[in-house]
Amino acid sequence: KFWIYDSLLSEYAALGFEYGYSVTNPDVLVIWEAQFGDFMNGAQIIIDQFIVAAEDKWAQTSGLVMLLPHGYEGQGPEHSSARLERFLTLCAEDNMQVCQPTTSAQYFHLLRRQIRRSVRKPLIVATPKSGLRDKRWRSSVDSLVNGCFEELIGDTSESLDASSVRRLVLASGKVSVEAETWRDEAGANVAVARVEQLYPWPFEAVAKELSRYPNCTEIVWLQEEPENMGSWNTIKGRLYEAHGDSYEIRRISRPDEASPATGSHAIHSQEQTMILAAAFASLDRRSRSDFH
């Protein structure tokens, strides 16, 4: 059976109900979707006290899924504030999952994994609304029928010369799709990999991707969010721990900001162009601006 409910506009009450339902009905895939990512703010007590900590406090497990529309689309700060940094701060001891699938097949297989696996953990899914209209996010029927969720999608460009790649750009979510398009249009010999699962961090998948490029010397973490937000402050520890001795590691993002995003679409477009250009700037000409 398939049930859909249009709940009352109280995130605290609705998410609390859905969490309780997921605990008492472990065989049901319970999904709560916010209108925008920032709508989780009204349910923060449920998130802090139950979703992220109940297993550790009371050995109470839940497979609840939270769908949080998130991505920098020039619609203002309230449409770009799923606060990935806050969820990643709350992650420890494999207490939950934080993912950003970038294809319809990945989205399907992620939800399928959630209900099919024996391990029950809450799942945070952040995806932009623009992906619904973007042909780059489409998947073939075959990829929906077959396969499984991939924690990292390696570079699939047929024109890439792996032996001469010196930089691997790691990105997650909407900006990773844009980065691939930018790279292809610019003709840059830079590898781009999509990190589809932010927590638990896919150490083995990242190492395997790096092994494809024997002459790579640099790892760039590209994110749309400002430096003090998004995934960087959690991810950088993973990157330095595993690869700090072998690669130069850099971040490219918007500079520190008090608001998640600008309210001007024109400024948004300028900022987006700047971070994408910085990610693929040549090694001898790259700027040391706030975007690094």
Side-chain angles (χ1 to χ4, degrees), residues 4-199:
I4 299 177
Y5 295 96
D6 187 6
S7 60
L8 74 164
L9 196 59
S10 168
E11 291 77 29
Y12 180 77
L15 190 59
F17 175 85
E18 303 295 5
Y19 173 78
Y21 200 100
S22 71
V23 171
T24 58
N25 293 270
D27 295 328
V28 175
L29 179 62
V30 182
I31 301 175
W32 177 78
E33 182 178 29
Q35 183 175 357
F36 287 100
D38 71 304
F39 275 50
M40 61 85 187
N41 290 325
Q44 203 61 66
I45 296 173
I46 299 297
I47 294 170
D48 289 350
Q49 299 298 328
F50 295 92
I51 293 174
V52 305
E55 183 175 3
D56 202 31
K57 292 192 292 186
W58 311 306
Q60 179 172 290
T61 61
S62 166
L64 177 68
V65 179
M66 291 178 59
L67 304 182
L68 302 178
H70 174 75
Y72 279 52
E73 299 165 310
Q75 299 297 312
E78 274 63 58
H79 293 187
S80 306
S81 54
R83 296 293 186 182
L84 292 175
E85 68 277 3
R86 198 176 193 286
F87 284 106
L88 291 171
T89 298
L90 295 170
C91 290
E93 301 178 305
D94 296 331
N95 63 321
M96 62 177 178
Q97 311 153 87
V98 181
C99 297
Q100 295 198 95
T102 57
T103 71
S104 53
Q106 280 283 91
Y107 193 98
F108 167 73
H109 288 301
L110 176 60
L111 294 180
R112 183 176 181 272
R113 182 182 77 168
Q114 183 69 2
I115 192 63
R116 294 285 296 175
R117 72 194 318 185
S118 58
V119 176
R120 287 173 51 76
K121 302 285 182 180
L123 170 62
I124 312 301
V125 183
T127 53
K129 291 194 172 185
S130 60
L132 294 170
R133 304 179 299 275
D134 193 330
K135 293 181 180 180
R136 293 173 296 181
W137 293 64
R138 293 180 181 177
S139 297
S140 65
V141 173
D142 182 68
S143 61
L144 287 161
V145 174
N146 301 295
C148 61
F149 177 70
E150 298 180 56
E151 297 174 356
L152 180 140
I153 298 178
D155 198 305
T156 58
S157 173
E158 296 180 356
S159 61
L160 196 69
D161 180 8
S163 64
S164 64
V165 167
R166 296 174 59 195
R167 179 187 305 163
L168 171 64
V169 173
L170 294 175
S172 187
K174 169 179 161 287
V175 74
S176 66
V177 180
E178 295 177 338
E180 287 185 354
T181 300
W182 184 285
R183 186 274 311 277
D184 293 343
E185 292 178 348
N189 198 55
V190 175
V192 178
R194 307 185 197 182
V195 179
E196 305 280 285
Q197 179 171 289
L198 293 168
Y199 190 89

